[in-house]
Structures are given as C-alpha cells and as structure tokens.
C-alpha cells in the first residue's frame, strides 16, 4: 500500500502504530494526532461519536535573544475533527488567546488532557444561540467560527482551503442536516441512489462507438462545425493563446476538402481541430446537445497523446495538451485532483522543449515561433494556477523556474516565418490586439502565484494581517487590470471582461473565504474579509445567474430602473451553465457566500431588533430590507441555475439538493418556522425534481431501486465516506462512476 494512503488510513482510524515517521511532525505530534477518543465525565464523546485529535507543531518561532519562543507562548496546534462527511483540520495559531477563555490549550498537558479540554469547549458551544435552527456553528465541524480551517480529507485525498468544498461550511445549518441524512441513510439517501442509477445510464448512453486509431469519424456537418470552430476562436482563444489563428484556419479548410484523407495523412491536425470543436460545443446551445460528440473528441485526443510509438513531445503536442485541458473543463466531468497532475505534466513537457526560456535567450528563430512559444508558456502558467486553486493544492512552480517574458502586443496576421524575432515590435499597450487579454492577465501572474502558494501551504501561519497585506496588493493589481482593459481601443468583448473578473475573483475568495465563518462572531476584526467576499459574490452572481425572473420582485425592479444591472453575455451564461471546473465551482462559491451573508443579517437583526421576539423576521421593519430581498432573489436564481445545469447534462443532483437545503433553512427562519423540518421537505422535493430531470435525460420513465443498497454495499461507499461519494468530485459525482 502506498505510504501516503497508509498514513491517511492510520489518521482516519486513530491507529497508534502508524509506521510512517515524519507524516505528522515529531513523535509527540504523532502521538497526539492518533489519540483515541476519551470519554468525559457527564459529557461522553462528542456529538458525532469521535473526539478531535490534537497535533502540536514541532516548530516554534525563535526569539531575538535566541531562546525558544515556547517558553513564552504556545506553539501552533492542529486539531483534526472527524465526521461522516469528512475530516477537517482546524489550526490554532501560535500564541493565540481567546477572548472568551474557551480556547483549547495544550500547554503543559498531555494529548489526552488537551482532548478533554476541547470536548468541554465543544459542549459549551452547544448552547450558542440559533434562530429557529439557523445555526451559527456546525455540530459536524466545531471551531469553524473561532479558528481557521487549514485542510480537509475527502476519501483519502487532502485539500487546502481553495478547494470548492470549503464553501459548504459557510451554511452550518445545511451542513448539519446533510450530516444527519448521511448518517441515517433514509429516504433521501435512497433517492440519491436512484440518481446514481440514472447517472450511470446517462453516462453509458454518451459513449459513441469508435475504433482506436480512427480519427475524425464523428465530425458534425460543415455548417455546425463552422459554428463550433468560430465559437472557440471568439471565446477561449482570445484569453488563452494556444493556436496561430491563420494557420489553424488553413488546416481547418484542408480538413474539410477531404476529411477521410486528412484523418489518415495528418491525424494530429484532425485531433487538434476536434478539440477546438469540443470547446466550441459548450456554446452551441443551452442544453449542450453535442456533449456526446465533444466527449468523443476528447477521448480521441487522449488516445492520440498517449499512443505508443509517437516521437518525443513537440510544441504541437503541447498545444494539443492545452486544448485538451480546456476541453475537459468545458465538456467533461473530470475531477480536480485529476486535472492538477495533468497540468503539472504539461509544465514538464513544456520545459522539455524549452518553453520556459525566453526566445531571446535561445538560438535565433522566426518571429512566429518566438511569439507562439511565449504565448504557450503564458497559457500553461494560467492553467497551472487555475488547476492549483481548483484542486486545493500548491502550484509547484516558482518564479525562479522560468524567464520567459510575456508575448508582444501583436495580431496573429502580423506574424510569419519570414521575419526574425528581433525585427518585430509590439503595438502600443492601449491598442487592442489578439494578445491584449493574455498580456493584461499575465501582468498579475506573480501576485496570483504568491497567493496560491500562501493559501495552499502547510507552513503558512494563519495571519489575518498578512492576508490583508496580500489582499491589498491583489486589489491594486485588480484595479490596474481593470484600467488596462478599460483603456483598450477597441473595447474588449463582454466575455473577455467577465472571464478576467472570474480569474481575479478566485483569489479574493482564496484569501478571505476562510474568515467568513469567524466574521459573524467577530464582525469588527474580519469586516474587510466579509465585505470583499460579499461584494465579489454579488458581482459574480449578477453576470452569471439568470436574473430575468428576479426582476418580477417590485423592489428589485425599482432598483433596476435606478441602477441597471450589468448586461449579460450569452456566451458567458452558456459557459457557466454547460461547463465544469471553475465555471461551476466559482458561481457555486459565490452562492454560498450570498447565503452566509443573508444568514448573518438574520442573526444580527435577531440581536438588534426588539420585534424579533414577537414576530417573524420577514414581518419586521429593518434598514437592510432591500439588501435582504436582493440576497434572497440571488439564492433563488442560483437554485434555478443548478437545475439548468442538470438539464444541460450534468448528472449532479447534489448541488441542487444542498442549495435547496440552504435556501429552505433560511426561508423557514425568516418565517419563524423550524429550519430542520423545512430542509427535510424541500430536500425531498429537490431530489424528486432531480430524478425527473435525470430520467428525462436517460430516456426512461422512472428508475428506482427495488432493494436500495445499504451503507456497506460494494460500489456505493460506506457511510463514513458519504461526502466523498459525489461531493469530492468536480461536480459531486464520484458516486456516479461505474463500480
């Protein structure tokens, strides 16, 4: 068994005899990390039947006088908390002193005594006030509103806080409800198993017949192919520069002159062009009707790149690899932990052909080759950063690893093989060209790389001061990016502007979203983090969610007349509806932030409004009424968006179910009704609707289990891994994989 897998299993099972030293620090840390749960007088074990485990860091900061800082302050501690959903790592910073006196301390105590203090603190937190079951802290994962979450284990995989799953912790009431359902495995669990059955049928129906080695046999008619090719060129190719457009157009025309001959004579070109079509298929219609063909084109590209007997990696192969990465984002339900390693392999392949070196430092070459090398390297850097944030892992890249500069501000038509690279000069920065967007984003790369390393590092102390410093630098870069885009003439397309906003918003969330649970408890200290997250979430939601039906709300309709919403881009809306990867996870994170903000307003009003004790929240008069209507409308639109994604072929009912539970709990609390009961009812309704959608996609009237599988049935996972059965994947769809 691999070393890392064994150590995780030891951690999950609290095994005392883990034989892999160095995994959890020194021996004392290992002993603490694997301490079995202890029964406490009058309290017993925690509510979930397992006690947190404390790991004391073996490293302590040094004083200026050379003495060990442990003599003056407590070292950083790490507490693992286990639930049926996942294992969550809570970090207690060095020298942290709680103003409530409830901090679990390990100073001068054995690991067992430290665990006992943590249990006492957990029991005390059970008395925290809630509004009709709309909890401010989770029974499943304690301390989220007190200490930072620095890691999570989902089915033997370790993720850092940039992974999308962390956003689900922003709604403790829904998280606890989900934990209860996972433990009980009642009707909702059975409905999920029905969705699993339907998902398998849908996936199997998408597999087209194909003989390995035959490429280009599933091309659409010429008119449709033209639309797909142009859709790719006007969207992703304007942001991630991968191909030389005039050259690709010529290859495209040659392919259609004799498709059969082209697939035999130049299969590599056919494979690459098919990937362009696969990406463009995401924009073809609202239901992604060409998804089976797009998946087939991805399958052919994977076979081509992995086929034996191919020569060494070339720049052309790296172009194909970049296109394959984007095609998986837009068409395939590929999990982030699979894309992250593939992006690393792409970097190594690029370095093997010298793309990391600037062409000026290489032997003389034509301008076309030099600029294409610069463009490709900039694209690969973006893909590495994107996959790092997606997977919740470090980028594994340093500025010292490359010296390739950004491409020149040139149009593709100005590049050819006749001119030398030193004889070509770029246009004025304010002149919009085919590379303007890539250059503008590339100027922010160093800042984004430092943030990705900071938030996804196991050795970074959770310092809000350092976070605010990085945030200030990021916002300066963000403003500079916006000014650059605004100064371009002609102006960039709406798709390009909104794509840049998505990229930068991810890093705002990465820095600040872990402070959202603590912002409710200490709004003064974490005010800036909360404000930045909420403002970013509102902006993302405004141009990503379908807002037409929300304008039926009189207050929003009036606001629209005074402050019109930003017009939506059709290509962008289709991308977040049909696509996967960040095009699903970032809008989902925005919706979770909106829900957390609405929950916070409800709790704050409960504390400040005297009428809350005698009448429901939605009948009280408050100054934040307009903001509440706005937030509530966005959550309802997020729920509609998730249904639209299912109709577009995403067999991912758990997004819809969780969003429904979040919204149901909030609406019930606003009406003065119990949140738990509302989540039960609405959760079942959402699953029933999801089953209807999936059954329609599968082409069957109904699909149910005669004997629903139990928690230990092979192929369905066990109860303790429920969260990872679907929730650990890019679309919570691991449970839909064939057994």
């Amino acid at each position: 068994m691999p070393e890392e897998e064994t150590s995780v299993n030891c951690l999950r099972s609290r095994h005392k005899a883990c034989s892999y030293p160095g995994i959890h620090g020194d021996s004392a840390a290992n002993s603490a990390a694997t301490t079995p749960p202890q029964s406490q007088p009058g309290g017993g074990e925690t509510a979930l039947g397992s006690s947190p485990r404390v790991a004391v860091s073996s490293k302590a900061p040094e004083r200026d006088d050379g003495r060990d800082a442990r003599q003056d302050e407590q070292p950083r501690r790490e507490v693992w908390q286990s639930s049926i959903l996942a294992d969550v790592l809570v970090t207690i910073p060095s020298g942290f002193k709680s103003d409530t006196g409830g901090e679990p301390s390990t100073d001068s105590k054995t690991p067992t005594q430290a665990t006992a203090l943590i249990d006492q603190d957990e029991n005390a937190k059970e008395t925290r006030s809630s509004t009709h079951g709309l909890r401010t802290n989770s029974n499943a994962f304690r301390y989220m509103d007190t200490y930072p979450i620095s890691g999570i284990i989902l089915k033997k995989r370790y993720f850092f806080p940039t992974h999308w799953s962390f956003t689900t912790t922003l709604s403790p009431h829904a998280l606890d409800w989900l934990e209860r359902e996972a433990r009980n495995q009642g009707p909702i669990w059975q409905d999920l198993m029905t969705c699993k059955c339907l998902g398998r049928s849908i996936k199997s129906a998408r597999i087209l017949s194909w003989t390995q080695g035959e490429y280009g046999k599933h091309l659409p008619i010429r008119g449709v192919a033209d639309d797909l090719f142009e859709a790719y060129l006007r969207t992703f190719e304007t942001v991630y520069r991968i191909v030389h457009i005039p050259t690709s157009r010529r290859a495209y025309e040659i392919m259609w002159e004799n498709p059969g001959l082209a697939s035999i004579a130049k299969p590599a070109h056919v494979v690459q062009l098919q990937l362009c079509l696969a990406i463009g298929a995401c924009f073809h219609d609202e239901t992604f009707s060409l998804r089976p063909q797009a998946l087939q084109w991805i399958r052919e590209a994977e076979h081509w790149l992995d086929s034996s007997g191919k020569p060494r990696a070339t720049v052309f192969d790296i172009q194909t690899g970049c296109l394959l990465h984007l095609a998986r984002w837009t068409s395939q339900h590929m999990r982030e932990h699979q894309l992250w390693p593939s992006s690393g392999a792409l970097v190594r392949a690029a370095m093997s052909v010298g793309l990391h070196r600037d062409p000026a430092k290489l032997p003389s070459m034509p301008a076309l080759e030099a600029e294409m090398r610069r463009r490709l390297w900039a694209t690969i850097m973006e893909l590495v950063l994107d996959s790092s944030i997606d997977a919740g892992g470090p980028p594994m890249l340093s500025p010292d690893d490359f010296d390739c500069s950004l491409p020149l501000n040139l149009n593709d038509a100005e590049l050819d093989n006749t001119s030398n690279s030193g004889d070509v000069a770029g246009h004025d920065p304010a002149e919009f060209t085919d590379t303007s967007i890539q250059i503008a984003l590339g100027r922010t790369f160093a800042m984004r790389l430092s943030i990705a390393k900071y938030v996804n590092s196991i050795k970074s102390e959770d310092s809000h001061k350092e976070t605010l410093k990085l945030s200030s630098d990021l916002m300066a870069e963000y403003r500079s990016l916006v000014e650059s885009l605004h100064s371009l003439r002609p102006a960039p397309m709406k798709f390009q502007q909104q794509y840049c906003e998505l990229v930068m918003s991810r890093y705002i969330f990465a820095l600040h979203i872990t402070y959202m649970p603590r912002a409710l408890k200490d709004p003064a200290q974490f005010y800036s983090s909360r404000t930045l997250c909420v403002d970013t979430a509102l902006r993302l939601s405004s141009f990503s969610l379908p807002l037409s039906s929300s304008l039926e709300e009189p207050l929003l309709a009036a606001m629209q007349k005074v402050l019109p919403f930003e017009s939506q881009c059709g290509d962008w809306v289709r991308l977040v509806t049909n696509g996967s990867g960040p095009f699903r996870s970032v809008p989902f994170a925005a919706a979770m932030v909106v829900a957390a903000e609405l929950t916070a307003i409800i709790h704050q009003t409960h504390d400040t409004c005297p009428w809350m004790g005698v009448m429901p929240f939605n009948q009280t008069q408050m100054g934040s009424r307009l903001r509440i209507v706005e937030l509530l409308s966005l959550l309802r639109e997020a729920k509609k968006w998730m249904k639209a994604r299912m109709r577009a072929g995403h067999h991912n009912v758990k997004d819809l179910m969780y969003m429904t539970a979040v919204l149901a709990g909030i609406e019930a609390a606003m009406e003065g009704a119990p949140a738990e009961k509302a989540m039960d009812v609405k959760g079942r309704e959402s699953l029933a609707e999801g089953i209807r959608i999936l059954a329609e996609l599968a082409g069957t009237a109904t699909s149910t289990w005669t004997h629903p599988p139990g928690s230990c049935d092979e192929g369905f996972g066990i109860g303790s891994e429920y969260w990872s059965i679907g929730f650990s994947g890019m679309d919570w769809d691991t449970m839909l994989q064939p057994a």
Side-chain angles (χ1 to χ4, degrees):
M1 181 177 293
E3 172 179 316
E4 61 178 329
E5 181 174 332
T6 303
S7 62
V8 170
N9 288 340
C10 293
L11 182 65
R12 184 183 291 274
S13 62
R14 294 117 169 129
H15 199 283
K16 292 184 178 181
C18 180
S19 58
Y20 296 94
I23 297 296
H24 309 296
D26 58 12
S27 59
N30 284 338
S31 175
T34 56
T35 300
Q38 302 291 324
S39 297
Q40 307 302 323
E45 297 181 1
T46 64
L48 299 178
S50 62
S51 299
R53 292 151 283 161
V54 180
V56 182
S57 173
S58 60
K59 296 184 178 181
E62 295 183 357
R63 291 169 48 98
D64 294 338
D65 57 10
R67 288 169 48 205
D68 193 334
R70 280 200 183 101
Q71 299 175 15
D72 300 314
E73 65 176 21
Q74 298 181 23
R76 166 175 150 173
R77 277 94 68 208
E78 294 182 333
V79 180
W80 278 106
Q81 295 192 302
S82 297
S83 161
I84 197 171
L85 302 178
D87 290 321
V88 171
L89 180 63
V90 178
T91 301
I92 306 171
S94 301
F96 187 89
K97 296 296 182 183
S98 172
D99 55 357
T100 63
E103 176 205 356
S105 172
T106 57
D107 187 31
S108 303
K109 294 178 177 63
T110 66
T112 301
Q113 291 171 326
T115 301
L117 285 179
I118 293 174
D119 281 339
Q120 293 171 11
D121 186 66
E122 284 185 343
N123 293 332
K125 291 183 74 173
E126 295 239 351
T127 61
R128 179 169 298 181
S129 63
S130 62
T131 304
H132 298 285
L134 201 61
R135 299 180 57 85
T136 59
N137 66 300
S138 171
N139 281 328
F141 304 112
R142 307 297 182 106
Y143 302 111
M144 290 191 303
D145 60 347
T146 306
Y147 309 118
I149 301 175
S150 54
I152 186 171
I153 292 179
L154 296 171
K155 200 175 182 181
K156 305 177 184 178
R157 299 188 188 100
Y158 188 99
F159 298 111
F160 286 92
T162 60
H163 190 257
W164 69 267
S165 61
F166 279 82
T167 62
T168 62
T169 64
L170 301 182
S171 296
H173 65 283
L175 199 62
D176 286 350
W177 173 82
L178 182 63
E179 195 274 342
R180 188 200 68 185
E181 292 302 325
R183 185 176 296 278
N184 293 341
Q185 296 190 16
I188 286 180
W189 178 271
Q190 296 175 16
D191 287 345
L192 286 171
M193 294 301 100
T194 298
C195 293
K196 174 185 176 74
C197 177
L198 290 168
R200 285 181 171 178
S201 299
I202 294 169
K203 289 177 65 175
S204 61
R206 289 175 180 162
I207 300 176
L208 304 180
S209 60
W210 178 60
T211 302
Q212 291 189 359
E214 293 185 357
Y215 305 102
K217 300 299 183 181
H218 292 279
L219 288 171
I221 60 174
R222 176 67 189 266
V224 173
D226 289 348
D227 291 342
L228 303 186
F229 189 60
E230 293 301 324
Y232 165 72
L233 293 180
R234 74 169 180 265
T235 55
F236 277 96
E237 185 58 38
T238 65
V239 179
Y240 300 109
R241 296 311 321 275
I242 298 175
V243 302
H244 183 240
I245 296 176
T247 302
S248 293
R249 287 192 185 279
R250 287 195 296 269
Y252 180 78
E253 292 298 330
I254 292 173
M255 182 184 73
W256 280 107
E257 288 175 2
N258 193 329
L261 180 61
S263 64
I264 298 173
K266 295 186 176 181
H269 290 82
V270 173
V271 166
Q272 191 174 102
L273 291 171
Q274 283 186 158
L275 287 174
C276 295
L277 302 184
I279 298 169
C282 182
F283 306 96
H284 183 61
D285 54 31
E286 296 179 353
T287 59
F288 207 158
S289 59
L290 294 176
R291 190 187 294 271
Q293 289 83 352
L295 294 175
Q296 174 60 30
W297 298 328
I298 291 174
R299 182 183 173 194
E300 292 181 20
E302 291 171 339
H303 180 269
W304 166 255
L305 289 173
D306 295 338
S307 59
S308 60
K310 284 179 80 278
R312 60 180 175 80
T314 64
V315 172
F316 188 90
D317 289 334
I318 293 169
Q319 286 177 305
T320 303
C322 291
L323 289 169
L324 177 61
H325 192 104
L326 295 181
R328 286 167 170 169
W329 263 359
T330 57
S331 306
Q332 197 173 33
H333 302 287
M334 196 163 188
R335 287 163 283 180
E336 57 278 87
H337 71 273
Q338 295 172 308
L339 279 175
W340 184 39
S342 68
S343 67
L346 200 56
V347 170
R348 291 187 288 276
M351 287 183 168
S352 72
V353 296
L355 292 186
H356 62 303
R357 301 305 310 273
D358 191 78
K361 297 181 173 69
L362 297 175
S364 179
M365 62 185 70
L368 172 60
E369 182 181 352
E371 285 306 301
M372 287 307 301
R373 292 174 72 92
R374 290 188 177 113
R375 293 177 180 186
L376 266 180
W377 182 253
T379 294
I380 291 171
M381 294 300 94
E382 292 291 343
L383 298 182
V384 167
L385 271 183
D386 289 335
S387 61
S388 169
I389 297 295
D390 276 341
M396 301 297 188
L397 191 69
S398 166
D400 296 333
D401 296 332
F402 60 94
D403 61 7
C404 187
S405 61
L406 290 173
L408 296 176
N409 193 35
L410 292 168
N411 290 304
D412 285 29
E414 300 172 281
L415 295 173
D416 55 48
N417 283 313
T418 60
S419 56
N420 191 278
S421 59
D423 300 332
V424 178
H427 293 282
D428 183 272
E431 183 176 345
F432 183 77
T433 70
D434 294 336
T435 55
S436 293
I437 303 301
Q438 185 176 53
I439 294 171
L441 277 175
R443 294 194 187 106
T444 70
F445 179 81
M447 182 72 249
R448 290 184 285 130
L449 177 61
S450 64
I451 292 175
K453 284 181 171 292
Y454 172 73
V455 297
N456 287 335
S457 171
I458 61 173
K459 294 186 177 181
S460 294
E461 281 280 356
D462 179 74
S463 168
H464 195 235
K465 182 178 179 180
E466 178 65 20
T467 298
L468 292 179
K469 179 181 180 302
L470 286 171
S471 178
S472 177
D473 295 341
L474 175 65
M475 295 309 294
E477 295 275 9
Y478 198 171
R479 282 188 286 271
S480 178
L481 172 64
V482 171
E483 290 170 1
S484 297
L485 296 178
H486 186 70
S487 67
L488 291 173
R489 292 294 179 271
M493 296 185 301
K494 185 71 69 175
F495 179 89
Q496 297 162 338
Q497 297 177 37
Q498 293 179 347
Y499 202 105
C500 290
E501 293 224 30
L502 176 86
V503 170
M504 300 303 291
S505 297
R506 305 188 75 186
Y507 295 89
I508 296 176
F509 283 160
L511 282 173
H512 294 286
I513 211 162
T514 57
Y515 294 100
M516 284 288 290
R518 288 178 277 171
L520 182 59
K521 183 178 181 181
D522 191 351
Q525 180 180 359
F526 302 110
Y527 173 80
S528 58
S529 291
R530 174 180 170 182
T531 301
L532 278 169
C533 281
V534 172
D535 288 348
T536 302
L538 290 176
R539 178 153 182 80
L540 282 171
S541 300
S542 68
F543 62 74
S544 298
L545 301 178
L547 301 178
S548 56
S549 59
S550 293
L551 298 180
E552 298 174 1
E553 169 63 44
L555 284 176
L556 286 184
M559 187 171 69
Q560 165 72 357
K561 292 181 180 179
V562 179
L563 297 171
F565 294 126
E566 181 178 359
S567 60
Q568 292 188 313
C569 169
D571 282 339
W572 183 259
V573 172
R574 286 187 177 176
L575 178 60
V576 296
T577 301
N578 297 336
S580 298
F583 316 118
R584 170 260 171 190
S585 62
V586 178
F588 180 88
M592 292 296 102
V593 170
V594 169
E597 176 66 7
L598 182 52
T599 302
I601 292 175
I602 293 173
H603 282 287
Q604 290 168 358
T605 305
H606 184 271
D607 295 336
T608 59
C609 179
W611 293 99
M612 283 290 290
V614 295
M615 64 177 58
F617 175 86
N618 57 5
Q619 295 181 16
T620 59
Q621 299 299 317
M622 64 207 79
S624 56
R625 189 173 182 84
L626 185 58
R627 169 53 64 92
I628 291 168
V629 172
E630 178 188 16
L631 297 177
L632 193 59
S633 297
L634 288 176
L635 289 182
R636 290 168 177 165
E637 293 299 335
K639 181 179 172 181
K640 295 176 183 177
W641 167 68
M642 292 169 187
K643 291 180 185 177
R645 284 180 56 81
M646 290 189 65
R647 294 189 180 96
H650 296 276
H651 38 74
N652 174 20
V653 73
K654 290 187 177 178
D655 272 2
L656 176 61
M657 182 190 72
Y658 194 74
M659 185 72 249
T660 299
V662 169
L663 181 58
I666 292 174
E667 290 179 329
M670 292 177 66
E671 296 169 0
E676 194 80 12
K677 183 177 180 181
M679 289 188 288
D680 286 340
V681 174
K682 296 298 183 180
R684 287 295 304 276
E685 290 179 359
S686 69
L687 283 174
E689 185 169 9
I691 290 173
R692 287 195 295 270
I693 295 174
L694 293 177
E696 182 179 347
L697 292 175
T700 180
T702 183
S703 182
T704 59
W705 295 100
T706 305
H707 302 288
S711 61
C712 297
D713 284 6
E714 183 178 359
F716 291 89
I718 58 175
S720 62
E721 295 177 341
Y722 172 83
W723 187 274
S724 60
I725 303 175
F727 285 81
S728 66
M730 186 69 71
D731 281 306
W732 298 4
D733 63 351
T734 306
M735 62 171 283
L736 301 179
Q737 301 295 332

